Amino acid sequence: MKKTTKLLAPLVLIPALALSSCADEAQEQMNESDSGDNTLTVYTSEPQEKIDEIIDAFAEVNPDAEIDVFRAGTGELKTRVASEKETGEIQADVILAADVPTFEDYAAEGDLAELNLENTDSLDDSYVDEDNYWVGTRLIPTIIAVNTDVISEEDEPSLWQDLTNSDYEGQIAMPNPDVSGAAAFNTAVWRSSDELGDQWLEDLVANDPTILESNGPVGQAVGEGTTGLGIVVDYVIRDLADQGSPVKVVYPEDGAPYVSQPAGVFADSDNQELANQFVDFLISEDGQQMAAEQSYLPVRDDVGVPEGAPELADLNLMDPDLEEIAAEQDEAVSYFNGLLK
């Protein structure tokens, strides 16, 4: 299998004219690549190492497939897709990114094709779109990360509410919701919560959190002890712990918001069959076993969980109305950004 990976520029900082130019360049790149039923373009927010492993595993069952990967944060991917729609057609076949509201928006706009998959019967219905436009591929809760060299066990938080304690002022890192799809989703979930809401967000910002670009840098800050605490997706901290960093995962007792890292196929795709095969691989037993090996919680219950992770049945997850979150997410992010000014 031939595989190429292209990194996206930070499109949120590029003027509209440059975005059009990027879309034109992407079109030229696709036109120059070998055409045919074995070519697939994937847009993803997956960490580079993890998406490379996924594609290598997919190659074992599809050795003739040629995969092009564009990797960026969810916010940048959404900007690229919007630019491509304005100048012609979406250039990707598959999108694998963080949050359900993004996929709900694409489905409502007619950008996604109905999926044709074999493995959805092995998933809980909550991870499968009732209209069959997207399917969850792994469970990614956001948790409280603790550097155990900085924060003692008796002083570590156990609730989201604890993070507003003045003892933690200047000690919290969190990802930018303009870049991270999971962070944007979480902001809307927290704001919609009766127990948290606007007041909690205000109090959290009053504690002077460090806003970093995405979940990876947040994990690094906690791992290095730059901050004692982080609001971050769980697998990042499991990976760091496996590498010897003095970090631990705390699943908040009042519930963890989570994304299911959906995958979907764009309606503009000329290779629907291979695109569906790729998405189906992600939720297959082999694909989900790989997810667990990559420190993700799987969306199937027949492959186990990563070492040291809780069983799915033992997790307290926040389950808001996803349609409500999709409708309120942009406003919630805008509200949060306003608090930072």
Side-chain angles (χ1 to χ4, degrees), residues 40 47-48 76 107 111 115 162 204 214 227 232 236 238 244 259 299 339:
L40 199 68
Q48 192 63 60
E76 295 178 14
D111 296 328
L115 295 171
D162 292 342
L204 179 66
S214 58
T227 62
V232 64
V236 168
R238 272 197 293 274
V259 294
V299 292
L339 295 176

Side-chain angles (χ1 to χ4, degrees), residues 50 139 234-236 238-239 242 290-297 306-307 309:
K50 295 182 187 298
L139 198 64
D234 63 344
Y235 73 84
V236 168
R238 272 197 293 274
D239 282 346
D242 288 344
M290 165 164 280
E293 292 169 358
Q294 291 180 323
S295 292
Y296 291 120
L297 296 173
E307 184 176 353

